[in-house]
Amino acid sequence: MIAAMMLMSMGAFAQNEVGQFTLQPKVGLNISKITGEGLKTTVGLVAGVEAEYGVAESFGITAGLLYSMQGYKAEGADKRSGMDYINIPILAQYYVVKGLAIKAGVQPGFLVRAKYDGNSFSDQCKKVDFSIPVGLSYEYQSFVLDARYNIGLTKTVKDAAEKTKNSVFQITVGYKFAL
């Protein structure tokens, strides 16, 4: 009975209260590609932490630090391009109903490494990437399932003839706790 009451109380405090800071370690996967003809999606890891500040009963601001494995596959080949970033998402979250939030913001990303078929091509890539993340999250008993799409704004490859922008769908699961 006591354990059930404790679990129920955890769910009651799942959402931020006004003025409250929370921290959320998270891990998940990216389904990413770079825009352009003949390029297909690839799957990579995303992991990191996000902090949220409760501005109002149904509104919060988050900032995070995520290691994000992005890239693409060339059509008709088994060659994969891996472009790893440290992303800093800054999002506004609006809680539609208890636990369900819609979110949007900005995200600068910093290139850590770029490899194509095992060979480095970091010198051909832009070091900073900007995107607009939009998505939804659902929180239940401090566990948060988050799905977002990062719309790339900047060209990733310096001298590419096409506009090569990141296009990333991201699904993560995290655990949120108050500080």
Side-chain angles (χ1 to χ4, degrees):
M1 179 77 95
I2 293 172
M5 288 173 54
M6 288 174 64
L7 284 174
M8 287 173 32
S9 70
M10 283 175 61
F13 295 105
Q15 223 163 264
N16 270 357
E17 295 175 14
V18 176
Q20 181 184 45
F21 279 100
T22 61
L23 206 55
Q24 180 192 156
K26 59 187 347 187
V27 66
L29 65 98
N30 288 330
I31 301 168
S32 65
K33 72 176 256 181
I34 291 179
T35 58
E37 274 190 50
L39 303 177
K40 299 188 321 183
T41 60
T42 188
V43 177
L45 172 76
V46 61
V49 65
E50 285 187 344
E52 182 176 357
Y53 177 72
V55 177
E57 189 173 308
S58 59
F59 184 74
I61 301 290
T62 66
L65 188 65
L66 303 173
Y67 182 79
S68 182
M69 297 171 72
Q70 299 170 198
Y72 64 91
K73 281 187 183 176
E75 195 169 286
D78 280 340
K79 296 181 178 180
R80 180 189 181 278
S81 166
M83 300 173 78
D84 298 353
Y85 291 89
I86 297 294
N87 289 329
I88 303 171
I90 302 164
L91 304 163
Q93 293 199 141
Y94 177 73
Y95 290 92
V96 181
V97 294
K98 186 170 178 66
L100 180 64
I102 56 175
K103 53 183 72 188
V106 296
Q107 176 176 279
F110 302 93
L111 185 69
V112 175
R113 74 179 182 110
K115 288 192 173 213
Y116 182 74
D117 197 28
N119 300 313
S120 177
F121 73 104
S122 294
D123 58 329
Q124 299 170 29
C125 297
K126 292 200 174 180
K127 305 299 180 214
V128 179
D129 178 62
F130 286 99
S131 63
I132 297 175
V134 293
L136 295 169
S137 66
Y138 185 73
E139 188 176 333
Y140 180 72
Q141 293 188 354
S142 298
F143 287 95
V144 181
L145 181 62
D146 187 292
R148 62 180 80 158
Y149 179 65
N150 298 326
I151 305 162
L153 298 177
T154 54
K155 232 169 112 171
T156 57
V157 181
K158 292 177 187 173
D159 298 323
E162 295 183 55
K163 291 188 166 126
T164 56
K165 298 176 183 177
N166 279 311
S167 175
V168 183
F169 179 69
Q170 190 174 84
I171 300 172
T172 59
V173 64
Y175 186 80
K176 189 174 182 179
F177 56 92
L179 293 179

